[in-house]
Amino acid sequence: MIFLLLSFYEPGFEPAVKIEKKKEEREFNEYRMLTLSIIRIYQVTLSGIMGDVCVFEPSCSHYGYQSIKKYGIFLGLLMTFDRLERCSPFARSYYPDFYGMVYVPGRGYKLYDPPEENLP
Amino acid sequence: MIMLFFLTEVETFLNPSLVLKFAQELEREGDTFRAITEYKRYAYLVPEKRDSIYFHIVRLYMQEKLYPNALDVLIKINRRDTVWENLAGYLLLKTGNHEEAGKYLHGKKRALFFAYTGKYDSLKLIIPVEPPELKSKLYAAFLSTIVPGLGRMYAGRVGDGIFSLLAIFGTGMNAYYMYEKGNKPLFYFNVALAAGLYLGDIYGSWVAAKRENEKRKRKFIEKVEEEVLK
């Protein structure tokens, strides 16, 4: 039995590709979960009542959700507040220098502004 | 019957002059990708003209802004002269390999390398162009710290700046109004919102300056490209 177990033992053996969980999956942050939950609740309740008022794609709430999920609560919240201030009738005047235009089924033409383009 | 047809007509299908004519016709029609396939077929049928045809394919890919594909074809060309090297350098720049591109670009074309890598002093020695005036990200953030929205205005986004100022001022005033009324929950909510918007504005000014610089650099590179490639 011992011989059999030892036959499987390989000193220094490591898998060729290490499967590492992403940081965001590994760490459970209750503040982030709370913020994301608030955004989800807003999307399910108030967002539907207010209608499609955002000029961007992804919309401000989706942008906030994605940025907090990807970049953590501090940077994510900063990015979200920045986006809320940019979501105004003036935004369309910055096309095409800063934003691209994209057609979103059901929402029409929107300014394309993903979180990745607004990193510091 | 079909087999017989193909066997008798195979010489017509693989006639190099007909293939070339067909490729040119497709190119004239604007069907670039099918034209590229036919040009490749012609290059296969007439190996002695392979290099010149491959150069043409590279130009067609460049026309369609498919730079990695153009580079793939360029590598297959055996003729390695200055034209080839300059083209390779240009395509390497377009595909993001800036440092590698520096090894290939010669003469006036080397200006492109300096423009892409931001070495404006060296660029000036080749072409007399003024480097782009870049906005300071730190200064933009500092301006927004003093007066909300001012940093965005400095970065060239006046509308966003005005909107930010109004948003922060509005929530601040609302917080004060709630404080006067003695509504503490709404007072705290508005204070938190105003603080968030204020910090977001500082961050936004930094990003706006960064993106403005990117835009200016992009336009400058376009200008240099126009100057060099004309």
Side-chain angles (χ1 to χ4, degrees):
Chain A
M1 188 68 185
I2 292 165
F3 178 75
L4 194 71
L5 281 170
L6 280 172
S7 65
F8 283 109
Y9 175 71
E10 280 183 57
F13 171 77
E14 280 186 12
V17 181
K18 276 187 180 178
I19 302 163
E20 281 186 14
K21 278 190 173 182
K22 284 180 186 173
K23 200 180 173 187
E24 60 195 55
E25 287 173 26
R26 212 167 44 227
E27 287 174 8
F28 177 78
N29 187 328
E30 59 270 32
Y31 294 111
R32 184 161 63 187
M33 284 305 290
L34 181 73
T35 322
L36 292 177
S37 308
I38 290 168
I39 294 174
R40 270 282 180 260
I41 290 164
Y42 162 80
Q43 284 176 339
V44 173
T45 55
L46 281 173
S47 179
I49 298 163
M50 286 162 73
D52 183 23
V53 287
C54 185
V55 293
F56 289 108
E57 167 59 27
S59 68
C60 291
S61 61
H62 281 100
Y63 178 94
Y65 191 91
Q66 285 173 20
S67 47
I68 292 167
K69 199 171 181 189
K70 276 185 188 171
Y71 307 114
I73 188 140
F74 182 70
L75 188 59
L77 272 177
L78 278 180
M79 289 169 81
T80 311
F81 278 116
D82 164 45
R83 166 60 102 76
L84 289 173
E85 286 169 314
R86 284 187 288 117
C87 188
S88 70
F90 299 110
R92 286 193 189 270
S93 64
Y94 303 120
Y95 166 81
D97 282 343
F98 295 106
Y99 310 120
M101 194 71 85
V102 63
Y103 181 75
V104 187
R107 292 184 68 213
Y109 283 96
K110 297 284 171 186
L111 297 169
Y112 186 61
D113 180 51
E116 296 80 45
E117 289 188 8
N118 294 298
L119 288 170
Chain B
M1 198 68 183
I2 295 165
M3 281 298 289
L4 201 67
F5 172 75
F6 274 105
L7 283 171
T8 50
E9 293 294 316
V10 73
E11 278 188 21
T12 320
F13 292 139
L14 298 176
N15 184 345
S17 61
L18 276 179
V19 170
L20 185 65
K21 261 188 190 175
F22 183 53
Q24 285 165 345
E25 186 58 32
L26 284 170
E27 193 189 336
R28 238 191 321 277
E29 280 179 10
D31 198 346
T32 314
F33 297 110
R34 284 200 177 89
I36 287 170
T37 311
E38 292 306 320
Y39 277 125
K40 280 182 181 172
R41 196 193 307 275
Y42 180 73
Y44 178 77
L45 292 171
V46 190
E48 58 272 16
K49 288 191 177 173
R50 218 181 81 158
D51 282 1
S52 60
I53 289 295
Y54 273 6
F55 263 117
H56 191 68
I57 293 171
V58 168
R59 288 205 178 86
L60 286 176
Y61 272 130
M62 281 166 72
Q63 198 181 299
E64 296 296 320
K65 295 191 182 343
L66 289 167
Y67 301 110
N69 298 43
L71 199 60
D72 285 345
V73 177
L74 192 76
I75 290 164
K76 291 176 190 166
I77 296 172
N78 295 322
R79 203 183 88 201
R80 303 282 163 105
D81 53 4
T82 322
V83 177
W84 185 91
E85 289 200 343
N86 278 333
L87 209 52
Y90 179 71
L91 290 172
L92 282 167
L93 279 178
K94 285 287 182 188
T95 46
N97 299 318
H98 297 165
E99 289 307 317
E100 192 74 13
K103 295 176 192 167
Y104 291 98
L105 291 162
H106 305 287
K108 208 178 173 184
K109 300 272 193 312
R110 202 163 167 75
L112 285 171
F113 167 67
F114 294 129
Y116 270 90
T117 47
K119 293 168 183 165
Y120 300 126
D121 292 332
S122 309
L123 173 67
K124 266 186 178 178
L125 299 172
I126 303 172
I127 308 173
V129 284
E130 280 303 308
E133 279 180 32
L134 300 178
K135 301 277 182 187
S136 165
K137 290 180 274 190
L138 202 66
Y139 187 59
F142 171 71
L143 284 175
S144 269
T145 316
I146 302 166
V147 182
L150 200 63
R152 286 183 200 267
M153 289 185 206
Y154 163 75
R157 299 199 197 184
V158 180
D160 279 358
I162 295 167
F163 191 75
S164 302
L165 180 66
L166 290 174
I168 294 164
F169 185 73
T171 41
M173 284 299 289
N174 212 12
Y176 178 71
Y177 181 65
M178 288 302 156
Y179 179 75
E180 289 281 298
K181 264 180 80 176
N183 191 340
K184 281 212 168 169
L186 271 180
F187 163 72
Y188 288 125
F189 175 74
N190 277 293
V191 165
L193 195 60
L197 288 172
Y198 176 70
L199 292 173
D201 180 54
I202 295 167
Y203 174 79
S205 302
W206 177 283
V207 175
K210 186 196 124 193
R211 291 191 71 176
E212 175 69 20
N213 288 346
E214 280 171 5
K215 187 192 96 183
R216 287 182 183 202
K217 278 182 192 169
R218 208 167 49 236
K219 288 205 169 170
F220 176 72
I221 286 169
E222 276 171 22
K223 201 175 133 186
V224 173
E225 270 184 20
E226 209 175 278
E227 184 76 25
V228 171
L229 303 174
K230 74 180 175 187

